[in-house]
Amino acid sequence: GKAWTAASFRIPTATLGTETQAGKEMSGIRAAPRVMAVGGGQVIESAGSVVGAIAVSGAPGGAADDACAKAGI
């Protein structure tokens, strides 16, 4: 899901979505199992290290999911 994707790639899922759009060099990542390249997944960091991730779904759009996830950190 989104939290797994954010933690695994160490970037927010909305950023991954932008970087993997059709026609971009990394677009093939979207076909990998478990990858969710849409807004809503945020990385949780402490002292410069990734310690986990949080994800939200169900808001009307990825930007709203992102806002909710950021509020939860």
Side-chain angles (χ1 to χ4, degrees):
K2 292 178 186 181
W4 179 87
T5 301
S8 296
F9 288 90
R10 299 182 170 152
I11 60 172
T13 55
T15 303
L16 185 66
T18 300
E19 296 299 319
T20 61
Q21 289 179 0
K24 292 207 172 187
E25 203 171 301
M26 296 190 307
S27 64
I29 289 172
R30 289 178 175 236
R34 298 180 64 185
V35 171
M36 297 287 296
V38 295
Q42 292 290 323
V43 177
I44 300 171
E45 296 179 304
S46 177
S49 296
V50 173
V51 296
I54 187 172
V56 174
S57 292
D65 286 345
D66 266 341
C68 291
K70 287 177 185 175
I73 296 177

